[in-house]
Amino acid sequence: MHTVKTSGRDNTRIVNRTMYSIFVLMSGYFLFFRGDYGDAAANLGIALIFDPFNPQQTWKDRPLYQRVWMIVHVVVVLIMFVLQFSR
């Protein structure tokens, strides 16, 4: 696959962190202001698509704190889905 860069630097990390933050904030909005676990879980799950760290780095080469962060993120999404269906 050939990537086309429009500028001299790769903006992937900036875009990923921005989109990750937006979806996490949207999740917080749905959870705390609307009380909707389903929409909050969906937005938090979508946030995982946008890796806030280095997307080119393999899982085994990542620092421990990054792996822990991502695993905790997945666990929180799963808990929120369970809470949605248990209501």
Side-chain angles (χ1 to χ4, degrees):
M1 173 185 244
H2 180 67
T3 18
V4 177
K5 292 184 182 179
T6 56
S7 66
R9 59 185 275 208
D10 184 18
N11 292 327
T12 305
R13 290 178 73 179
I14 295 169
V15 170
N16 279 0
R17 285 185 181 178
T18 302
M19 294 304 292
Y20 180 84
S21 299
I22 288 170
F23 278 102
V24 169
L25 289 173
M26 284 177 28
S27 176
Y29 167 76
F30 282 113
L31 181 63
F32 296 116
F33 293 107
R34 305 248 337 251
D36 189 346
Y37 288 105
D39 285 343
N43 281 292
L44 201 59
I46 292 170
L48 284 168
I49 295 171
F50 303 100
D51 187 351
F53 305 112
N54 184 358
Q56 284 77 31
Q57 192 173 26
T58 64
W59 181 257
K60 67 179 180 177
D61 293 335
R62 289 176 185 257
L64 179 62
Y65 78 92
Q66 289 181 5
R67 289 184 278 169
V68 168
W69 178 268
M70 298 303 273
I71 289 170
V72 168
H73 189 128
V74 170
V75 169
V76 169
V77 169
L78 293 174
I79 289 171
M80 289 172 69
F81 270 122
V82 168
L83 288 173
Q84 169 64 25
F85 292 119
S86 66
R87 293 178 84 194

